[in-house]
């Protein structure tokens, strides 16, 4: 029996195994032109290692790719990170973004000014427009971030203010007084 974590560990081990790993990556690269990583803020180090293995040839500049147009699209939002969810750390997302930015720029620099461009520039786009929430809810999020400080919240940089895509969308925020359940004999040592 294998769980999700086992599958990730086995895939990483396969891609990194000397001899066979190169062959597997070569076969995958011949079939993969586009990779989408969604919820990247909740991607762990092993998952990033798999992605790195899959996109390694995207940044090689090798002629084997021919005129193929290959892309890597990573979508994530630090403010939505579930810290330590399945071993995640949103700083892994930031590190991956830096790696891919550096590799894309190195590929562009290696092409120089002459000849036909094959490499694509790295685009780092902000995510401040919300299609899910009302402006009142987004204002409460922004006020919380401002009150606590973006650095204290673990964000790599000051976030842009949120903007609702649909201004007419109604919304409200209720603040409840925190409460604690009284201890029970059924709680054991951990409590509620």
């Amino acid at each position: 029996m294998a769980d999700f974590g086992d599958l990730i560990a086995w895939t990483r081990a396969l891609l990194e195994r000397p001899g066979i790993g190169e062959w597997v990556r070569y076969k995958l690269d011949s079939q993969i032109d586009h990779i989408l990583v969604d919820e990247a803020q909740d991607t762990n180090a092993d998952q990033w290692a798999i992605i790195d293995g899959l996109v390694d040839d995207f940044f090689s500049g090798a002629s084997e790719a021919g005129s193929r147009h290959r892309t890597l699209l990573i979508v994530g939002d630090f403010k939505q990170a579930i810290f330590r969810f399945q071993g995640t750390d949103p700083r892994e997302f930031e590190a991956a973004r830096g790696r891919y930015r550096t590799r894309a720029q190195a590929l562009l620099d290696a092409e120089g000014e002459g000849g036909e461009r094959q490499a694509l520039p790295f685009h780092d786009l902000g995510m401040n427009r919300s299609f899910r929430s009302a402006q009142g809810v987004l204002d409460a999020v922004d006020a919380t971030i401002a009150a606590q400080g973006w650095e204290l919240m673990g964000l790599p940089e000051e976030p842009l203010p949120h903007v609702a895509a649909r201004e007419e969308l109604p919304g409200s925020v209720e603040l409840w007084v925190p409460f604690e359940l009284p201890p029970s004999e059924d709680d054991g040592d951990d409590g509620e």
Side-chain angles (χ1 to χ4, degrees):
M1 180 108 108
D3 65 13
F4 187 62
D6 293 330
L7 297 175
I8 291 169
W10 296 340
T11 302
R12 180 179 184 175
L14 174 65
L15 293 175
E16 293 177 349
R17 183 177 298 155
I20 191 73
E22 292 88 355
W23 180 82
V24 170
R25 289 192 312 271
Y26 170 77
K27 295 302 271 182
L28 289 171
D29 183 59
S30 69
Q31 299 298 313
I32 297 173
D33 289 331
H34 310 286
I35 294 177
L36 166 63
V37 181
D38 195 14
E39 301 296 343
Q41 75 279 356
D42 294 326
T43 302
N44 67 35
D46 288 335
Q47 293 166 325
W48 283 117
I50 293 168
I51 296 163
D52 286 345
L54 294 175
V55 302
D56 193 45
D57 282 340
F58 283 32
F59 299 101
S60 69
S63 60
E64 293 87 22
S67 61
R68 290 168 53 197
H69 180 76
R70 301 189 295 179
T71 58
L72 170 61
L73 176 62
I74 300 172
V75 180
D77 185 356
F78 284 95
K79 296 180 295 306
Q80 295 183 27
I82 306 170
F83 192 72
R84 295 285 180 226
F85 170 71
Q86 296 182 344
T88 64
D89 183 335
R91 291 172 290 209
E92 293 284 343
F93 174 34
E94 180 66 17
R97 184 165 65 172
R99 274 194 313 277
Y100 299 137
R101 177 187 294 117
T102 299
R103 294 189 76 187
Q105 189 59 50
L107 200 53
L108 283 171
D109 292 346
E111 281 187 348
E113 295 299 322
E116 184 179 328
R117 280 219 179 261
Q118 293 288 324
L120 299 172
F122 180 89
H123 295 283
D124 195 353
L125 307 174
M127 294 183 61
N128 66 322
R129 181 167 300 281
S130 175
F131 293 87
R132 297 181 185 171
S133 294
Q135 191 62 52
V137 175
L138 298 173
D139 291 343
V141 170
D142 288 340
T144 303
I145 292 171
Q148 295 299 311
W150 58 270
E151 305 95 330
L152 190 61
M153 296 186 75
L155 299 175
E157 57 195 25
E158 185 173 5
L160 297 170
H162 291 91
V163 177
R166 294 176 37 209
E167 293 178 15
E168 76 284 356
L169 192 64
S172 65
V173 176
E174 288 184 32
L175 298 179
W176 292 7
V177 177
F179 67 93
E180 184 175 340
L181 295 175
S184 163
E185 292 179 19
D186 296 334
D187 290 340
D189 293 336
D190 295 333
E192 180 65 35

